[in-house]
Amino acid sequence: MDPLSGSASGDNLAGRLSLYVVMQLASVLLPGAVVLMEGVVLLTGLIRVHDHAISSLFEMLARVGGIGGFVVVIVAVAGSYVIGYLCRSAAFAIFGLVERRTRPLESRDAQLRLLIGDDHFAELVRIHPVLGSRAPEVAKARLGAGGGHRDGAMHDTQTYCKLWLRRQAPELAIDSIEAEINILLATVFPVLLLAVDAVALGGTPLPLRILALPLGLLVCAAVVRAVLRLRDAERWEAVRNLAFDFLMHRAALCFQQPDQPR
């Protein structure tokens, strides 16, 4: 989900804009630049006509100045952004397929009832009816929403909770988890392409060429496992923090009206 969605005005919007810029830099532009560089190194190494093709290419680019240099920088930045965006989208698509096969969607109503009690849970659902519309669609959830999410009532509930927290309780927002997921998945293709470079290019020590792909796949598997854990935490904390916001408002109201039962 777009980190700017649901932003209020003022300081909250400025903070969210800063988060959005940082997330785009860390999960799109920088990984895209790494992939672009690795791709250039790989292609230059595979089609080189002499042993110093890579250094010659960089020397040629270094000699470009003036408007030509500015154009080269703009093209490199734009290319890095596009490549990074596509790689992150592909990583999310792959992750969504893995999650769909390994992590069935489960309602967290029982946990929420245990956390806040049946009476508070009933009142919470009355105030936020979207919380009561999840169970019927769990079985029909399908891959299709952005960010590798699965469409369905549970995703709608999570989106509602995140938007509410961003507007009404930014201190309880879970944007840090969303940013961490984006940044972690953005590392998948740079790691894989680095392993391919190590295998395909000459001059790489034989032990490293043998271990490069297994190590790259192992790192990617660790990243996917970490993101699976974070995605579970994201779903739970979105609903839990909405419940916390509800309880905090009730407590504040009780303190404002001490004669009312708590």
Side-chain angles (χ1 to χ4, degrees):
M1 184 172 66
D2 184 352
L4 294 179
S5 300
S7 294
S9 59
D11 294 339
N12 188 26
L13 179 58
R16 297 212 46 75
L17 181 60
S18 299
L19 175 65
Y20 178 78
V21 171
V22 170
M23 193 163 70
Q24 291 298 306
L25 287 173
S27 68
V28 177
L29 187 59
L30 292 180
V34 172
V35 170
L36 178 61
M37 185 67 66
E38 291 172 341
V40 169
V41 170
L42 178 62
L43 291 177
T44 306
L46 292 177
I47 64 175
R48 67 178 184 270
V49 294
H50 53 80
D51 292 336
H52 303 289
I54 296 176
S55 59
S56 298
L57 174 65
F58 289 130
E59 288 174 3
M60 180 187 68
L61 292 176
R63 288 196 296 269
V64 177
I67 297 179
F70 178 75
V71 171
V72 169
V73 171
I74 294 298
V75 170
V77 171
S80 298
Y81 188 89
V82 171
I83 292 172
Y85 188 88
L86 293 176
C87 288
R88 189 184 66 173
S89 297
F92 266 116
I94 295 171
F95 169 78
L97 293 174
V98 172
E99 185 186 32
R100 188 183 183 188
R101 292 179 178 274
T102 60
R103 298 290 179 95
L105 289 176
E106 296 179 355
S107 174
R108 298 297 181 91
D109 288 355
Q111 288 179 266
L112 205 56
R113 287 178 182 273
L114 185 63
L115 178 66
I116 67 176
D118 290 340
D119 292 340
H120 285 153
F121 179 81
E123 187 174 357
L124 179 66
V125 172
R126 181 182 62 81
I127 296 174
H128 301 285
V130 69
L131 295 179
S133 63
R134 287 175 289 168
E137 293 193 33
V138 170
K140 297 186 289 184
R142 60 182 176 82
L143 184 64
H149 290 284
R150 285 171 278 185
D151 283 338
M154 291 191 70
H155 176 60
D156 294 338
T157 298
Q158 179 183 343
T159 301
Y160 173 86
C161 293
K162 291 167 75 172
L163 291 175
W164 175 275
L165 294 172
R166 285 174 181 175
R167 290 190 63 87
Q168 306 298 333
E171 299 85 357
L172 298 176
I174 58 171
D175 298 320
S176 60
I177 298 179
E178 183 177 343
E180 190 173 356
I181 289 173
N182 278 268
I183 293 171
L184 279 174
L185 283 180
T187 65
V188 169
F189 279 93
V191 169
L192 288 178
L193 191 53
L194 178 62
V196 172
D197 282 355
V199 172
L201 296 180
T204 305
L206 182 59
L208 184 57
R209 298 181 71 176
I210 295 174
L211 295 175
L213 279 179
L215 286 176
L217 292 174
L218 184 63
V219 170
C220 291
V223 167
V224 170
R225 184 173 181 178
V227 175
L228 285 171
R229 176 182 56 80
L230 287 170
R231 181 57 61 82
D232 286 341
E234 182 185 31
R235 292 194 183 99
W236 165 241
E237 291 188 21
V239 179
R240 184 203 65 185
N241 287 7
L242 182 71
F244 282 173
D245 177 64
F246 161 73
L247 293 176
M248 290 174 184
H249 277 87
R250 278 184 57 90
L253 184 62
C254 289
F255 281 112
Q256 292 172 5
Q257 301 175 352
D259 56 324
Q260 298 294 324
R262 298 186 184 181

